[in-house]
Amino acid sequence: MYTQSFNVQDTPGTKAVASVPSKEDPALQAAFDTRIDADGRIEPQDWMPDAYRKTLVRQISQHAHSEIVGMLPEGNWISRAPSLKRKAILIAKVQDEGGHGLYLYSAAETLGTSRDQMLEGLHSGRAKYSSIFNYPTLTWADVGVVGWLVDGAAIMNQVPLCRCSYGPYARAMVRVCKEESFHQRQGYEALLVMMTGTEEQKAMVQDAVNRFWWKCLAMFGPPDADSPNSVQGMRWGIKRISNDDLRQKFIDATVPQAKVLGVTLPDPDLKWNEERQHYDYGQIDWDEFWATVNGNGPCNKERLATRVKAYREGEWVRDAAMAHARKQQERSMKEAA
Ligand code: 3HC
């Protein structure tokens, strides 16, 4: 349904942007720039400018926390899934998201930022995570729509990240994208089944689409002109396609899927533009987006409180695992002595 092809075009002209002037060692900087210009990979042991490292940690942090907080809206439905099959699928999906968070925390560790530091940022409310997870999942149809649209948007954004210039992030993304692809399909399939059901079920799907559509378009981030990090992120080959271009690709791919499903996307301005060979679409509410990103969405406080509670309640498990690891190490040292 969505391409797994890594052969995606970069946004034209990204390499034409001047490299960031650096006060660091000019020879190391020149070697780094040459590798970036040649679309080479940067690995943890390689020299990199501080600003590149910081940008990666910032983006990976936002991404990792999105995966972890993203477990909550769907996790709420595990005990209410309508059948054993749907429950098993949902448990697997939510577990996958937890795994994605862990790959990403590990990728950040290779840049010198520990998981504890990252979690402290999340729990104190300083670190960002995707706006989309601050909206409630009110009905079972929301679970299907999250799979179809939220995971669909995530794949669109993440497939180009498989070619990110930083090796550990790019490699984590290959696996994440394969799993996200399954998530998207299971959501779409659940909705297809509901759309062959009763009028109430069909209305439930349409209502969920109405509530999630615009929020999913905002997932790609602010318009390019208002995106402070895009130009540099693309110059460094971290991002490959701009926020607006990814949003457009997502809309173009989703409109035909909505037709097959039999739902209406809630945008009167959504029309095929023959000249552009893309769909035109209406205005996204950026004030609402920024309010949500800045902590004032409908579920921000609840999401954070749930994460902090889960972390505190899991402390004894972490302590027990550490004690066990210490004991094992002592035992193997004794045996070796
Ligand atoms: N929600 C929350 N914050 C957002 C956001 C969103 N939808 N879109 C942008 N922002 C934040 C950025 O993090 C940045 O904050 P900062 O400067 O304080 O770090 C600020 O808004 C300005 O945005 P920019 O466009 O300048 O930022 P980026 O160049 O980093 O681009 C991005 C934003 C497209 C989200 C990019 O960071 C990205 O591609 N990240 C990796 C993918 C990701 O995070 N996906 C999360 C989606 S959900 C998910 O993956 C879970 C899955 O299971 C569904």
Side-chain angles (χ1 to χ4, degrees):
M1 227 169 194
Y2 283 94
T3 176
Q4 284 291 320
S5 164
F6 302 155
N7 186 20
V8 279
Q9 288 289 310
D10 294 352
T11 301
T14 50
K15 290 283 188 289
V17 175
S19 66
V20 202
S22 163
K23 294 194 186 81
E24 298 167 80
D25 186 317
L28 291 171
Q29 176 74 49
F32 172 86
D33 287 342
T34 304
R35 195 177 303 178
I36 292 286
D37 287 344
D39 259 345
R41 281 274 163 87
I42 306 296
E43 296 296 339
Q45 66 277 11
D46 294 332
W47 182 90
M48 62 187 89
D50 270 354
Y52 176 80
R53 187 185 299 274
K54 272 196 194 130
T55 288
L56 276 167
V57 170
R58 184 187 60 74
Q59 180 166 326
I60 294 173
S61 155
Q62 198 265 15
H63 196 167
H65 297 328
S66 301
E67 302 282 356
I68 297 296
V69 178
M71 297 166 79
L72 300 176
E74 289 179 290
N76 281 340
W77 280 92
I78 290 174
S79 59
R80 292 177 285 168
S83 68
L84 183 58
K85 173 181 143 186
R86 296 286 172 205
K87 191 193 283 271
I89 293 172
L90 191 56
I91 290 172
K93 177 186 190 296
V94 171
Q95 190 170 295
D96 282 355
E97 306 297 3
H100 298 173
L102 299 186
Y103 306 152
L104 289 162
Y105 288 136
S106 300
E109 276 176 347
T110 67
L111 291 158
T113 300
S114 71
R115 196 188 303 184
D116 285 346
Q117 283 171 298
M118 299 267 258
L119 289 178
E120 198 279 319
L122 175 67
H123 296 160
S124 65
R126 271 185 293 111
K128 290 193 170 70
Y129 59 85
S130 184
S131 48
I132 194 71
F133 301 120
N134 291 305
Y135 297 96
T137 39
L138 302 177
T139 69
W140 173 251
D142 289 19
V143 174
V145 166
V146 167
W148 174 36
L149 296 180
V150 174
D151 290 86
I155 299 168
M156 197 53 92
N157 175 288
Q158 287 166 192
V159 166
L161 292 175
C162 297
R163 293 196 301 122
C164 166
S165 58
Y166 188 59
Y169 191 23
R171 289 189 286 275
M173 279 303 108
V174 173
R175 187 151 173 195
V176 167
C177 284
K178 285 185 181 151
E179 291 176 355
E180 293 293 2
S181 210
F182 154 75
H183 298 168
Q184 196 263 354
R185 280 160 207 231
Q186 68 77 35
Y188 193 68
E189 192 268 340
L191 296 176
L192 280 172
V193 172
M194 287 186 81
M195 291 302 284
T196 61
T198 62
E199 287 310 310
E200 283 84 353
Q201 284 173 311
K202 290 180 196 169
M204 211 190 269
V205 174
Q206 183 62 59
D207 173 62
V209 171
N210 293 349
R211 282 181 289 107
F212 274 91
W213 175 247
W214 289 103
K215 325 287 184 223
C216 288
L217 298 190
M219 280 175 73
F220 295 94
D224 293 350
D226 303 324
S227 161
N229 304 301
S230 274
V231 171
Q232 189 55 66
M234 291 176 72
R235 176 67 186 81
W236 274 327
I238 296 172
K239 283 169 85 159
R240 294 287 178 166
I241 305 183
S242 81
N243 296 0
D244 284 333
D245 288 350
L246 283 170
R247 194 170 2 256
Q248 183 72 64
K249 276 166 82 73
F250 174 70
I251 293 168
D252 292 348
T254 308
V255 171
Q257 295 169 10
K259 279 194 190 127
V260 171
L261 193 56
V263 294
T264 307
L265 297 173
D267 178 359
D269 296 323
L270 190 65
K271 282 189 193 70
W272 179 251
N273 183 323
E274 195 55 39
E275 201 180 318
R276 290 199 312 120
Q277 290 290 299
H278 290 295
Y279 282 92
D280 289 338
Y281 56 98
Q283 275 298 316
I284 295 167
D285 185 343
W286 292 113
D287 291 340
E288 188 208 319
F289 167 77
W290 285 117
T292 305
V293 170
N294 291 323
N296 298 311
C299 299
N300 294 60
K301 290 184 181 63
E302 181 189 327
R303 298 286 185 245
L304 217 54
T306 309
R307 277 311 318 157
V308 171
K309 181 168 177 280
Y311 186 74
R312 287 207 184 116
E313 289 178 354
E315 192 169 5
W316 70 271
V317 181
R318 293 191 297 278
D319 288 349
M322 291 303 287
H324 179 66
R326 263 196 307 274
K327 254 191 208 163
Q328 270 192 325
Q329 198 185 13
E330 279 165 16
R331 203 171 296 150
S332 61
M333 278 166 71
K334 251 188 216 157
E335 278 166 15

